Amino acid sequence: MTDTPETAPETPATDSPPDRLSVNPRSDFHDWELLRRGVGIRFNGVERTNVEEYCISEGWIRVAAGKSLDRKGNPLTIKLTGTVEAWFKS
């Protein structure tokens, strides 16, 4: 044994967002640090700014369905399928 403390290898910062991300804090796929960096979404060739959740590998996004709310006050969402591209804005 050595007297120097062992450190975990540092993970390199990636320039690509995760495969799945959500803005809902109760979701398992919510990550505040990544959202703070700013994530851009292009869906079927059009940049979208109203995306609640996305999945690149499955090819879908969730967007709010108008101003409708569920009984807990959360926006109702609809799932749209197509080509999804994601990138960090900053």
Side-chain angles (χ1 to χ4, degrees), residues 5 13 20-21 23 25 27 34 42-43 46 67 69 73 77 79:
R20 189 167 175 178
L21 188 62
V23 297
S27 172
L34 293 176
R42 185 174 292 122
F43 180 70
V46 178
K67 295 184 180 182
L69 301 175
T77 60
K79 187 180 200 178

Side-chain angles (χ1 to χ4, degrees), residues 33-83:
E33 293 301 319
L34 293 176
L35 292 171
R36 245 179 37 167
R37 285 184 66 183
V39 178
I41 301 294
R42 185 174 292 122
F43 180 70
N44 288 338
V46 178
E47 189 170 344
R48 303 288 299 254
T49 58
N50 61 343
V51 176
E52 298 282 329
E53 184 175 2
Y54 72 86
C55 183
I56 297 172
S57 63
E58 295 176 15
W60 56 262
I61 62 171
R62 286 197 179 274
V63 295
K67 295 184 180 182
S68 302
L69 301 175
D70 66 5
R71 64 180 177 216
K72 295 181 181 179
N74 300 318
L76 289 178
T77 60
I78 57 174
K79 187 180 200 178
L80 304 174
T81 58
T83 305

Side-chain angles (χ1 to χ4, degrees), residues 12-40:
T14 60
D15 283 344
S16 61
D19 178 57
R20 189 167 175 178
L21 188 62
S22 174
V23 297
N24 185 350
R26 291 179 289 223
S27 172
D28 293 337
F29 301 103
H30 178 78
D31 188 345
W32 172 245
E33 293 301 319
L34 293 176
L35 292 171
R36 245 179 37 167
R37 285 184 66 183
V39 178

